[in-house]
Coordinates of all heavy atoms in Angstrom, one line a residue:
A17 N -5.3 -2.5 14.8 CA -5.7 -1.3 14.0 C -7.2 -1.3 13.8 O -7.7 -0.2 13.7 CB -4.9 -1.3 12.7
A18 N -7.8 -2.4 13.9 CA -9.3 -2.4 13.6 C -10.1 -1.8 14.7 O -11.2 -1.5 14.6 CB -9.7 -3.9 13.4
C19 N -9.5 -1.6 15.9 CA -10.2 -1.1 17.0 C -10.7 0.3 16.8 O -11.7 0.7 17.4 CB -9.3 -1.1 18.3 SG -8.9 -2.8 18.8
K21 N -11.5 1.7 13.7 CA -12.1 1.8 12.4 C -13.5 1.3 12.4 O -13.9 0.4 13.2 CB -11.2 1.1 11.3 CG -9.9 1.7 11.2 CD -9.1 1.0 10.1 CE -7.7 1.7 10.0 NZ -6.9 1.1 9.0
S22 N -14.2 1.7 11.4 CA -15.6 1.2 11.3 C -15.5 -0.3 10.8 O -14.5 -0.7 10.2 CB -16.4 2.0 10.2 OG -15.8 1.8 9.0
P23 N -16.6 -1.0 11.0 CA -16.5 -2.4 10.6 C -16.4 -2.6 9.0 O -15.7 -3.5 8.6 CB -17.9 -3.0 11.0 CG -18.4 -2.1 12.1 CD -17.7 -0.7 11.8
E24 N -16.9 -1.6 8.3 CA -16.8 -1.6 6.8 C -15.3 -1.4 6.4 O -14.8 -2.1 5.5 CB -17.7 -0.6 6.2 CG -19.1 -0.9 6.3 CD -19.7 -0.3 7.6 OE1 -19.0 0.4 8.4 OE2 -20.9 -0.6 7.9
A25 N -14.7 -0.5 7.1 CA -13.3 -0.2 6.8 C -12.4 -1.4 7.1 O -11.5 -1.7 6.4 CB -12.8 1.1 7.5
S26 N -12.7 -2.0 8.3 CA -11.9 -3.1 8.7 C -12.1 -4.3 7.7 O -11.1 -5.0 7.3 CB -12.3 -3.6 10.1 OG -12.0 -2.6 11.0
A27 N -13.3 -4.5 7.3 CA -13.6 -5.6 6.3 C -12.9 -5.3 5.0 O -12.3 -6.2 4.4 CB -15.1 -5.8 6.1
T28 N -12.9 -4.1 4.6 CA -12.3 -3.7 3.3 C -10.8 -3.9 3.4 O -10.2 -4.5 2.5 CB -12.6 -2.2 3.0 OG1 -14.0 -2.1 2.8 CG2 -11.9 -1.8 1.7
E29 N -10.2 -3.5 4.5 CA -8.7 -3.7 4.6 C -8.4 -5.2 4.7 O -7.4 -5.6 4.2 CB -8.2 -2.9 5.8 CG -8.0 -1.5 5.5 CD -7.2 -0.8 6.6 OE1 -6.8 -1.4 7.6 OE2 -7.0 0.4 6.5
N30 N -9.1 -5.9 5.5 CA -8.9 -7.3 5.6 C -9.0 -8.1 4.3 O -8.1 -8.9 4.0 CB -9.8 -8.0 6.7 CG -9.5 -7.5 8.1 OD1 -8.4 -7.0 8.4 ND2 -10.5 -7.7 9.0
N31 N -10.0 -7.8 3.6 CA -10.2 -8.4 2.3 C -9.1 -8.1 1.3 O -8.6 -8.9 0.6 CB -11.6 -8.1 1.7 CG -12.7 -8.8 2.4 OD1 -12.5 -9.8 3.1 ND2 -13.9 -8.2 2.3
T84 N -10.5 3.4 2.6 CA -10.9 3.3 4.0 C -10.7 4.7 4.7 O -11.2 4.8 5.8 CB -10.2 2.2 4.8 OG1 -8.8 2.4 4.7 CG2 -10.6 0.9 4.2
M87 N -14.2 6.2 5.2 CA -15.2 5.3 5.8 C -15.4 5.7 7.3 O -14.5 6.0 8.0 CB -14.9 3.9 5.7 CG -15.1 3.4 4.3 SD -14.8 1.6 4.3 CE -15.2 1.3 2.6

Side-chain angles (χ1 to χ4, degrees):
C19 294
K21 297 182 180 179
S22 71
E24 294 85 6
S26 296
T28 300
E29 281 193 0
N30 289 341
N31 289 337
T84 57
M87 289 186 176

